[in-house]
Structures are given as structure tokens and as C-alpha cells.
Amino acid sequence: MHQLSINHRHRNTRTRAAGLLMLGRGISPQVIAEQLGVSGQSVYNWSHMWRDSGVCGLMGGHNGGRPFAL
């Protein structure tokens, strides 16, 4: 998880991994949300994704962004 929080190419995946590491250290979700600049609900969602799907759950959600040029 530590390597994922440092080396993944998507910033939001790095943020999610860092948040889960902080949860594992016993830091409260609200403090994590403030430090990472996300909502408290996001931290809970990451926790549930990790529990349900493991690493694959953290890497999902990259469907947004600008459409490809034709």
C-alpha cells in the first residue's frame, strides 16, 4: 500500500492509498479528510472499497475527463 501511495500514475489513487494508510495508523476519518482536502464521506467510501474489492476497488473511478478527440 505504501508503494501505491507514492508511485501510482493517478493522483487520486495515490490519495486514496495514503488515506487508507492513515486509517490504519488510527487517525480519524475527519482528520484525514482535512489533511487530504477531501470530504469525510470520501474516506469512508475508500475504506468500504478496500474492504469489498481490495486494491482493484481503489484503482477504479478513472472514467471522467475530457472526451477523446476524433
Side-chain angles (χ1 to χ4, degrees):
M1 184 65 68
H2 180 70
Q3 290 297 319
L4 187 67
S5 71
I6 296 172
N7 295 325
H8 197 272
R9 67 181 226 183
H10 294 292
R11 181 177 59 189
N12 57 351
T13 301
R14 291 191 305 266
T15 302
R16 292 171 184 168
L20 287 175
L21 286 171
M22 294 167 83
L23 273 175
R25 292 184 192 124
I27 300 172
S28 75
Q30 290 303 324
V31 172
I32 294 170
E34 290 173 9
Q35 289 183 357
L36 296 179
V38 298
S39 69
Q41 184 62 48
S42 293
V43 178
Y44 286 107
N45 291 345
W46 301 339
S47 175
H48 292 292
M49 284 190 300
W50 173 256
R51 185 189 65 213
D52 296 340
S53 304
V55 174
C56 293
L58 294 181
M59 292 184 176
H62 299 290
N63 300 344
R66 184 176 177 170
F68 294 111
L70 295 178

